[in-house]
Amino acid sequence: LLYFTDSIQPTALLAGLEAHGVDVDGRIAKGQLRVAPAVDGYLSDGRFDPKAMIESWVREIATARREGWAGLRVTADMAWVLRSNVDTEQLAWYEAHVSRVFADGFTTVLCQYDQRRFAAAELRQVSAAHPGMIPVGVDGDWEPLLRMARTTDPPGLRLSGEVDLSNREALAAMLHDAIEELGHRGAELVVDVTGLRFADTGAANLLLTAARAHPAGLSLTGCSAALARLLDLTDSISGAGRAGARGLRVVMADQAS
Amino acid sequence: MTATLETGARRAGQFDHLGLLYRDREEYAARIIAFVREGLAAGEPVLVATPGQNLDLIRTGLGEDAAGVRFTDMALAGRNPGRIIPRVLLAFAAAHPDQRVRIVGEPIWRGRSDLEYPACAAHEAAINAVFADHDAAILCPYDAAGLPDDAVADAARTHPLMIDGAGVSASPDYIAPDRGVAMFNRPLPDPPATAAILAYSGEAMLRQVRHFVANHAAAAGLSPERVDDLCVAVNELASNTCDHTGGPGQLSMWVEPDILVCQVDDHGTISDPLIGRIPPDLASTGGRGLFIVHVLCDLVRIYTRPHGTSIRVHIDR
């Protein structure tokens, strides 16, 4: 578990954990817990480099796997952004695209944004870059609105939950990155939507756009009747007269092999 | 009006929007059959979109000529008048590119409710803007004996050319399409006191909006498919509140005989009067969400004003 602090000092956090009965020293000694100031992680060279940061997560995850842990949990107090010159666009881009690295079924990341300190418009933009958002005052039963996992065989994504305006950018970045990685291999992108309970027209449009953008096309597996109808409807608007050229293959939930 | 043909339509190369005031079935059938035959003689593709029983009358009257005509039941295709332009009129024009098309479109009939009527009349006004650059003739029959006086008077406001017993004439009451559409931007009656209400604010509450809609729609007896449709539609309306106003909104739901009603109220203003009525790729600004709401619902009424918009949708039970 990696904890990046900002509003409070690492020592204060450790003391707090200890007060809640966590064997802090033991966990640290085993290499299971690390607490560090967020600026050390995010502003390693004194500035925020989103691409280098994403690469550093790849290394961090590889290390945790190599050491044999069952998973990696990360939480970061993002208040450091307020003192930096990182702009909202840059931050939202990073948050949306870092999902690609985190969607490995191994890593869980909780980004903390203080509602009282961030501007509402900035919070909206950054929040849309996350698959799920935990509102203030929620109890332990919270589940993210959308879960996205990358799959390797077949190469693609598995989506479960719901996609709407609140997490659309997270899906957009995930599809974009998946296509970019597949680009040179000429393989079809397979998106398993068996667990997708709701998609809005914006999400349908993202899937259709991704299918057109990827030369080898996109295959949706486990598609519900509702999603199939929404895709047809959305396609009839944006792709009028181009039926068949949409690059999208739909396998319905009840005919999956 | 030397270029005017016998039925009121003019020469090719321009758009004619004709209002026909008829008083009985014989006059109705005679006028429409003449209009259709004139198109067939000129080699034009012809579509007749009227409510079902009127279709039968025209089909019978045309005899063998009916084979060359496309028929659409407007009571179904135009159940929501807001989707007639994209799904019926523009779809027929798009299927016959580079040809002058001829259409009989009957969007207003006895039995349209008071709540439906302004959406129908706004549709008639919008046709003048959407088809301005099309090579087409659209004839809209009005039952002068059976419709309320207001509807007959409005026909003369939304059609540049009128046909009645005295023949064809330019309508002195015709008003420009933007003003015409604005004229039917009318306040909605208040939701009943018994309506279920959900106040929402921010995208994070959209899941609650959908949950609320699904529960009430299922309780109202909608099929699972229509519950899904309504969730998609209302989610789009509430998303527009979040996306375009940044402020809060309120969703009200209640049941009326044969229909389930949803109304979304927020503090935004809709500036484009044609939004949702024409396919978004032809529209200047977005509008995909509202377009899909029109396709999915059985009626969409919009009342927009400075600092406030109310959108009411009906779905048949």
Side-chain angles (χ1 to χ4, degrees):
Chain A
L1 193 146
L2 181 52
Y3 198 126
F4 280 130
T5 64
D6 193 79
S7 305
I8 58 173
Q9 294 294 320
T11 47
L13 179 83
L14 290 169
L17 288 175
E18 196 129 39
H20 277 82
V22 178
D23 172 19
V24 166
D25 291 338
R27 302 285 181 191
I28 290 176
K30 280 168 64 183
Q32 195 178 7
L33 174 67
R34 202 165 91 226
V35 180
V39 287
D40 291 0
Y42 289 90
L43 302 172
S44 48
D45 301 323
R47 61 182 197 91
F48 180 58
D49 180 342
K51 285 188 176 155
M53 191 66 210
I54 291 174
E55 288 312 310
S56 82
W57 285 119
V58 173
R59 292 193 298 274
E60 197 74 60
I61 293 165
T63 305
R65 282 186 187 275
R66 200 169 52 242
E67 290 174 358
W69 298 107
L72 174 66
R73 284 180 182 238
V74 179
T75 183
D77 180 351
M78 299 301 282
W80 60 269
V81 170
L82 296 164
R83 296 190 310 280
S84 72
N85 56 6
V86 175
D87 67 34
T88 310
E89 294 293 328
Q90 214 182 1
L91 183 63
W93 185 93
Y94 163 76
E95 290 284 25
H97 287 265
V98 75
S99 300
R100 165 177 60 148
V101 173
F102 292 150
D104 55 359
F106 182 77
T107 314
T108 310
V109 184
L110 177 67
C111 306
Q112 309 168 27
Y113 285 90
D114 189 335
Q115 230 170 0
R116 298 159 302 184
R117 297 177 64 190
F118 280 86
E122 186 171 19
L123 274 183
R124 285 186 63 214
Q125 203 175 338
V126 169
S127 144
H130 291 79
M133 194 187 79
I134 311 183
V136 172
V138 92
D139 62 21
D141 291 337
W142 182 86
E143 284 227 354
L145 192 59
L146 175 68
R147 284 184 193 275
M148 303 189 288
R150 297 207 302 159
T151 55
T152 49
D153 185 23
L157 297 174
R158 188 169 56 244
L159 306 178
S160 56
E162 303 176 39
V163 194
D164 62 17
L165 185 62
S166 75
N167 54 17
R168 185 181 297 164
E169 289 310 312
L171 176 61
M174 200 71 169
L175 286 167
H176 174 270
D177 291 348
I179 287 170
E180 200 172 74
E181 279 177 34
L182 276 180
H184 60 282
R185 282 197 271 156
E188 187 184 45
L189 177 69
V190 179
V191 181
D192 180 351
V193 290
T194 310
L196 194 65
R197 294 187 307 272
F198 179 82
D200 69 357
T201 63
N205 201 46
L206 282 180
L207 291 168
L208 289 163
T209 307
R212 287 196 195 96
H214 186 43
L218 189 151
S219 199
L220 282 186
T221 60
C223 186
S224 67
L227 180 57
R229 279 188 300 130
L230 186 64
L231 286 165
D232 284 342
L233 191 51
T234 309
D235 193 40
S236 73
I237 303 168
S238 52
R242 288 194 288 145
R246 65 187 194 178
L248 184 71
R249 201 167 66 85
V250 175
V251 180
M252 302 300 289
D254 50 12
Q255 62 185 60
S257 52
Chain B
M1 304 265 289
T2 50
T4 303
L5 301 173
E6 195 181 336
T7 63
R10 290 171 294 182
R11 65 187 184 281
Q14 54 187 318
F15 176 54
D16 291 321
H17 190 200
L18 305 137
L20 164 66
L21 302 183
Y22 66 90
R23 276 167 189 79
D24 54 49
R25 284 168 65 85
E26 288 68 32
E27 187 182 9
Y28 176 88
R31 291 279 190 184
I32 288 175
I33 287 165
F35 179 79
V36 169
R37 288 208 163 117
E38 189 179 80
L40 293 174
E44 296 168 0
V46 180
L47 167 71
V48 175
T50 69
Q53 61 189 38
N54 291 349
L55 281 184
D56 295 338
L57 183 68
I58 298 163
R59 199 184 272 124
T60 308
L62 279 169
E64 288 179 4
D65 288 341
V69 176
R70 169 87 179 275
F71 294 92
T72 295
D73 187 346
M74 194 66 122
L76 301 175
R79 175 74 185 87
N80 170 11
R83 63 175 177 242
I84 297 173
I85 288 178
R87 296 305 234 211
V88 178
L89 307 183
L90 284 175
F92 188 69
H96 303 281
D98 308 320
Q99 268 184 293
R100 177 173 175 82
V101 295
R102 184 173 289 240
I103 301 171
V104 176
E106 186 173 3
I108 298 172
W109 53 82
R110 275 194 285 176
R112 282 288 205 192
S113 71
D114 290 347
L115 215 78
E116 287 174 309
Y117 177 72
C120 300
H123 151 77
E124 287 281 37
I127 286 178
N128 298 307
V130 175
F131 275 84
D133 298 324
H134 279 70
D135 190 5
I138 301 179
L139 174 74
C140 307
Y142 282 76
D143 179 357
L147 288 169
D149 292 346
D150 284 353
V152 176
D154 286 341
R157 297 187 176 100
T158 56
H159 295 80
L161 289 171
M162 293 297 288
I163 310 172
D164 62 15
V168 186
S169 57
S171 172
D173 299 330
Y174 176 68
I175 53 179
D178 52 341
R179 279 182 51 220
V181 175
M183 204 172 91
F184 301 105
N185 175 36
R186 293 186 178 159
L188 290 158
D190 288 335
T194 51
I197 288 175
L198 176 72
Y200 60 89
S201 179
E203 296 91 322
M205 276 193 77
L206 290 174
R207 71 199 301 185
Q208 280 153 271
V209 167
R210 295 190 295 271
H211 192 69
F212 184 85
V213 171
N215 283 345
H216 286 278
L222 260 58
S223 69
E225 193 170 296
R226 292 304 266 161
V227 172
D228 287 341
D229 287 347
L230 192 62
C231 282
V232 168
V234 177
N235 179 75
E236 290 300 324
L237 297 177
S239 296
N240 282 345
T241 300
C242 302
D243 213 14
H244 299 306
T245 78
Q250 179 172 290
L251 168 62
S252 311
M253 290 183 76
W254 66 95
V255 168
E256 293 182 12
D258 304 324
I259 53 171
L260 174 64
V261 188
C262 290
Q263 182 167 323
V264 164
D265 290 281
D266 64 32
H267 299 297
T269 300
I270 295 176
S271 54
D272 178 359
L274 295 179
I275 199 154
R277 285 180 181 268
I278 47 177
D281 55 347
L282 302 174
S284 50
T285 52
R288 188 197 305 123
L290 209 46
F291 182 84
I292 283 183
V293 173
H294 268 292
V295 175
L296 294 175
C297 297
D298 295 311
L299 177 68
V300 181
R301 274 287 306 275
I302 300 175
Y303 175 49
T304 187
R305 55 222 180 259
H307 318 298
T309 292
S310 304
I311 303 182
R312 184 177 292 193
V313 302
H314 286 184
I315 203 150
D316 292 344
R317 294 205 283 149

